[in-house]
Amino acid sequence: RLLRPPVAVGPGPLPAALALAAAGAASGVVPRAAAGVPARPRAIASVVSWATGIGAASRVAARQARLRPAERFPGAGARAIADRLALRVGAAFGLKYMLAAPLVANGTVVGAVVLSRRTPGTWPASSERLLAVSAVEASAALNRALSHQAAEARASTDALTGLPNRGYFDEFCALLARRRRADDALGVLMIDIDRFKAVNDAHGHVVGDEVLRAVGGAIAGAIRENDVPARYGGEEFAVLLRNPTRVDATEVGERVREAVARLDLERLRVSGLSVSVGVAVSESVDEPVRDLVDRADTALYRAKRMGRDRVVAG
């Protein structure tokens, strides 16, 4: 059978902040008992996110592996995690006489369904079966949601570099343009690997792909926290800069150029790699983002004509 009976547990000590984080993140509602109002005698049900919550589950879901029944419910390990979650909820909200069942996403326990009541005694077998079935149904729904989320992530990510792709970049720019305030500034960097065709011709496309991955990583490591990098197409990358001055944008462009120049690609027998960078910063909040990208692209080609391996502001 797929279902194992849940295990009833009692309250146990745990730091309140951690327990509140576990319970509150899932339900979004403070139970009556937590506000100093006695809980009603009927059972209280809470769905609790485990550890880092849905974010952790989505990373697990990205594997999209088909699991055998034994892997879906990994026995005592899953039940033990559900029990610990129940103890945390009980410690946070003063609950007793709890019953817990694990929520499983692609073979990993990501949460638990927890029942509590105020009257002592053994939970009837019918309650255990109902909770187990509810946990299975909730796990299935969670798997579907995470699968959809993972599919969306794949659709907006460049498979080679792991950066957002052009579709995501264009969509993000359009969304940002609609929400800009009067004092918002935007900047764009357009970045192109110099003489990339020569790298492919001399070393082959496998090495070329490794170079693209290395450059993508260098760009992501050189920009600011709120900036958005993307692989724009071929050997061209783009970065959307949030609220930069012209000096800020040029400095970020220089950091990108220097980061690529420092790459050690000797293992690929590639040396002297460089990029040209075009920079544009919005002159008014009414300037379309598309025009900003075009100005940065024009500045990029100026950098190419001026000898490559440089940053030019348009």
Side-chain angles (χ1 to χ4, degrees), residues 7-11 86-87 89-90 95-100 114-116 123:
V7 178
V9 297
L87 291 175
V89 174
L95 305 179
K96 298 181 179 180
Y97 314 116
M98 290 174 289
L99 192 65
V114 180
L115 299 182
S116 173
W123 284 84

Side-chain angles (χ1 to χ4, degrees), residues 69-93:
E71 294 171 318
R72 290 185 182 276
F73 290 87
R79 295 199 307 276
I81 292 173
D83 294 348
R84 290 200 298 270
L85 284 171
L87 291 175
R88 295 183 177 201
V89 174
F93 300 108

Side-chain angles (χ1 to χ4, degrees), residues 35-312:
V37 180
R40 286 173 289 184
R42 60 189 180 86
I44 300 172
S46 300
V47 179
V48 183
S49 294
W50 170 248
T52 55
I54 300 303
S58 64
R59 292 191 294 272
V60 173
R63 296 196 303 266
Q64 295 302 302
R66 293 185 62 85
L67 302 173
R68 298 186 297 276
E71 294 171 318
R72 290 185 182 276
F73 290 87
R79 295 199 307 276
I81 292 173
D83 294 348
R84 290 200 298 270
L85 284 171
L87 291 175
R88 295 183 177 201
V89 174
F93 300 108
L95 305 179
K96 298 181 179 180
Y97 314 116
M98 290 174 289
L99 192 65
L103 290 173
V104 181
N106 287 340
T108 298
V109 178
V110 296
V113 181
V114 180
L115 299 182
S116 173
R117 66 183 186 186
R118 300 187 66 184
T119 56
T122 303
W123 284 84
S126 58
S127 297
E128 295 184 352
R129 288 194 298 271
L130 179 61
L131 181 60
V133 170
S134 299
V136 171
E137 293 295 330
S139 295
L142 182 60
N143 271 293
R144 288 192 296 271
L146 295 178
S147 296
H148 179 71
Q149 185 181 45
E152 286 185 336
R154 288 194 298 272
S156 62
T157 302
D158 175 59
L160 181 63
T161 64
L163 295 178
N165 58 24
R166 180 171 180 173
Y168 176 90
F169 184 83
D170 290 342
E171 184 178 353
F172 187 84
C173 288
L175 179 63
L176 200 60
R178 292 195 296 270
R179 297 183 178 181
R180 288 173 70 184
R181 297 172 297 185
D183 57 346
D184 282 346
L186 291 178
V188 171
L189 305 182
M190 298 301 293
I191 305 158
D192 191 81
I193 303 175
D194 296 329
R195 300 182 177 88
F196 183 70
K197 183 178 183 301
V199 174
N200 271 337
D201 291 345
H203 303 284
H205 289 284
V206 173
V207 170
D209 288 349
E210 289 292 332
V211 169
L212 286 170
R213 274 192 284 267
V215 170
I219 292 171
I223 62 178
R224 304 173 307 174
E225 182 178 0
N226 291 328
D227 298 334
V228 181
R231 185 183 177 197
Y232 206 66
E235 66 269 29
E236 192 170 21
F237 297 81
V239 178
L240 182 68
L241 307 173
R242 305 290 297 275
N243 289 315
T245 65
R246 188 182 177 90
V247 172
D248 292 336
T250 303
E251 287 179 351
V252 175
E254 283 290 351
R255 288 207 304 269
V256 167
R257 188 190 65 80
E258 292 170 1
V260 173
R262 289 195 302 268
L263 285 173
D264 183 2
L265 302 176
E266 287 300 322
R267 62 185 177 83
L268 303 175
R269 292 182 295 177
V270 174
S271 60
L273 192 69
S274 66
V275 293
S276 299
V277 182
V279 180
V281 176
S282 59
E283 297 174 349
S284 73
V285 73
D286 296 324
E287 181 176 13
V289 179
R290 183 68 257 173
D291 291 355
L292 198 59
V293 171
D294 289 343
R295 284 206 288 122
D297 211 36
T298 300
L300 169 63
Y301 283 101
R302 283 175 54 204
K304 293 283 190 181
R305 290 194 298 270
M306 292 170 65
R308 301 181 176 88
D309 190 20
R310 65 192 63 223
V311 178
V312 172

